[in-house]
């Protein structure tokens, strides 16, 4: 089985049917189902997601990226601190980074105040956290390869005048 190709196809479109995947991979459907199940058990496939442009809905949703500066712990480095932070249900995504801050944390809230409360009452007081810097996302242009702000332009031609 061409596992890398299977993963690439699923990353592009998680809605492919196992029959379609089998056809592309020149495999039988049972083999694809077995491979996908195995990849899920090994935590190589960690979920199937949909990209939603929330700006086109009536739902209020605020996204913030938070730089978090920390002091690493002896014998644990950053992993124990990361676990203390990513276990908060408000934390959607978290990365260990190179640069001026150790972590980038992405959270979603209903309002900026809700995000601010999380940072002030939960994140900043976390042991070994020495600084936070919050950046609110004002507009999303492209998410996971999907462009949000381009409108379909059909038959757009320049006007020619004599």
């Amino acid at each position: 089985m061409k596992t890398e190709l299977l993963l690439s196809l699923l990353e592009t479109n998680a809605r492919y049917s196992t029959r379609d995947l089998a056809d592309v991979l020149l495999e039988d459907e049972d083999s694809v189902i077995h491979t996908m199940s195995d990849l899920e058990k090994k935590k190589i496939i960690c979920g199937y997601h949909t990209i939603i442009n929330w700006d086109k809905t009536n739902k209020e949703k605020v996204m913030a990226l938070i730089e978090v500066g920390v002091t690493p712990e002896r014998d644990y480095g950053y992993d124990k601190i990361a676990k203390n932070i990513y276990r908060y249900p408000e934390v959607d995504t978290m990365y260990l980074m190179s640069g001026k801050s150790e972590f980038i944390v992405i959270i979603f809230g209903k309002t900026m105040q809700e995000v601010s409360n999380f940072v002030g009452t939960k994140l900043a007081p976390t042991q070994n956290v020495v600084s936070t810097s919050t950046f609110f996302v004002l507009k999303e242009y492209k998410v996971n390869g999907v462009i949000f702000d381009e409108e379909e332009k059909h038959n757009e031609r320049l006007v020619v005048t004599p």
Side-chain angles (χ1 to χ4, degrees):
M1 164 87 50
K2 302 168 192 144
T3 304
E4 286 184 26
L5 180 56
L6 172 63
L7 293 172
S8 182
L9 290 166
L10 288 171
E11 186 177 43
T12 303
N13 183 353
R15 292 188 69 188
Y16 281 126
S17 69
T18 52
R19 176 74 258 146
D20 290 341
L21 291 167
D23 289 345
V24 171
L25 297 168
L26 304 174
E27 299 281 343
D28 63 280
E29 189 173 6
D30 287 340
S31 175
V32 170
I33 291 168
H34 175 73
T35 301
M36 287 175 64
S37 178
D38 188 48
L39 293 169
E40 290 166 359
K41 286 176 189 162
K42 291 178 180 176
K43 297 286 186 186
I44 294 171
I45 295 177
C46 300
Y48 301 88
H49 301 278
T50 302
I51 300 168
I52 298 170
N53 185 347
W54 289 105
D55 289 344
K56 293 191 174 193
T57 70
N58 291 328
K59 182 175 171 103
E60 292 297 319
K61 193 169 187 174
V62 174
M63 180 175 29
L65 287 75
I66 306 162
E67 289 182 351
V68 182
V70 301
T71 303
E73 285 190 10
R74 182 181 298 285
D75 300 324
Y76 296 103
Y78 295 110
D79 294 342
K80 189 174 178 184
I81 302 163
K83 186 181 279 187
N84 289 337
I85 295 171
Y86 70 63
R87 285 193 168 166
Y88 286 116
E90 294 89 344
V91 174
D92 181 78
T93 304
M94 183 173 177
Y95 301 106
L96 176 63
M97 305 294 292
S98 64
K100 71 176 192 170
S101 298
E102 285 71 32
F103 299 120
I104 294 289
V105 175
I106 300 173
I107 70 167
F108 294 92
K110 292 178 184 168
T111 64
M112 288 184 178
Q113 186 63 44
E114 185 177 272
V115 171
S116 297
N117 287 340
F118 167 76
V119 173
T121 62
K122 294 181 180 177
L123 182 59
T126 301
Q127 187 174 359
N128 295 83
V129 170
V130 295
S131 66
T132 63
S133 187
T134 303
F135 303 88
F136 288 99
V137 174
L138 302 178
K139 183 175 181 178
E140 293 178 305
Y141 291 99
K142 186 175 183 178
V143 176
N144 292 338
V146 177
I147 298 171
F148 281 179
D149 79 334
E150 280 189 351
E151 297 294 324
E152 289 287 326
K153 296 178 182 174
H154 299 286
N155 298 326
E156 190 172 290
R157 297 176 63 177
L158 293 174
V159 177
V160 180
T161 57

